């Protein structure tokens, strides 16, 4: 079982910055990718950013140029540096671990979510 611990959320003013962290632990042989999703009230959960074990990253169009995802494979930890935050970034952010398409059972694991609120 994979366990995810998220931290770094909070209240920030527009234009401010936050850094989210997510550490994975448990019986892990290999992590294919880690990423961040977010869900605002009344909205679908959406991908914010993801990064593979080899460091290939992708971002939602709405956060390109503002957010940066990074990963420390040795620590099984993923980070999301969020700059130039906007009110529309307000959401619960969820960490995700993908063990890879070759995993038959329990491929994906989710963190409990951390609230990010951007407001003046």
């Amino acid at each position: 079982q994979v366990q995810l611990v998220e931290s770094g959320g909070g209240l920030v003013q527009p234009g401010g910055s936050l850094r989210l962290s997510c550490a994975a632990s448990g019986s892990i042989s290999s992590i294919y990718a880690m990423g961040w999703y977010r869900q605002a009230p009344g909205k679908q959960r959406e991908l914010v950013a993801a990064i593979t074990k080899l460091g290939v990253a992708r971002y939602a169009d709405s956060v390109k140029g503002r957010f940066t995802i990074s990963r420390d494979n040795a620590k099984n930890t993923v980070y999301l540096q969020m700059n130039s935050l906007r009110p529309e970034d307000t959401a619960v952010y969820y960490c995700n671990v993908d063990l890879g398409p070759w995993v038959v059972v329990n491929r994906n694991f989710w963190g409990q979510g951390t609230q990010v609120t951007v407001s003046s």
Side-chain angles (χ1 to χ4, degrees):
Q1 183 176 343
V2 177
Q3 299 173 0
L4 305 178
V5 179
E6 303 167 337
S7 63
L11 175 65
V12 66
Q13 295 183 353
S17 298
L18 286 173
R19 189 190 190 212
L20 305 183
S21 299
C22 175
S25 63
S27 183
I28 304 172
S29 59
S30 181
I31 295 177
Y32 175 71
M34 300 183 74
W36 291 94
Y37 291 71
R38 67 186 181 187
Q39 187 168 24
K43 302 292 185 180
Q44 296 285 98
R45 185 175 297 187
E46 64 176 352
L47 173 69
V48 178
I51 187 168
T52 70
K53 185 177 181 179
L54 297 180
V56 179
R58 63 183 178 124
Y59 299 89
D61 289 341
S62 60
V63 307
K64 287 182 178 178
R66 300 188 297 121
F67 292 8
T68 302
I69 190 169
S70 60
R71 180 179 179 180
D72 186 334
N73 290 334
K75 297 180 179 179
N76 285 327
T77 300
V78 65
Y79 307 93
L80 185 67
Q81 179 66 46
M82 304 185 293
N83 298 326
S84 301
L85 283 163
R86 306 165 180 169
E88 51 264 42
D89 294 319
T90 296
V92 177
Y93 284 69
Y94 296 91
C95 179
N96 172 263
V97 165
D98 183 356
L99 298 183
W102 51 85
V103 178
V104 178
V105 180
N106 295 331
R107 174 181 173 181
N108 285 280
F109 295 86
W110 295 90
Q112 80 285 350
T114 183
Q115 177 71 46
V116 172
T117 302
V118 184
S119 176
S120 60

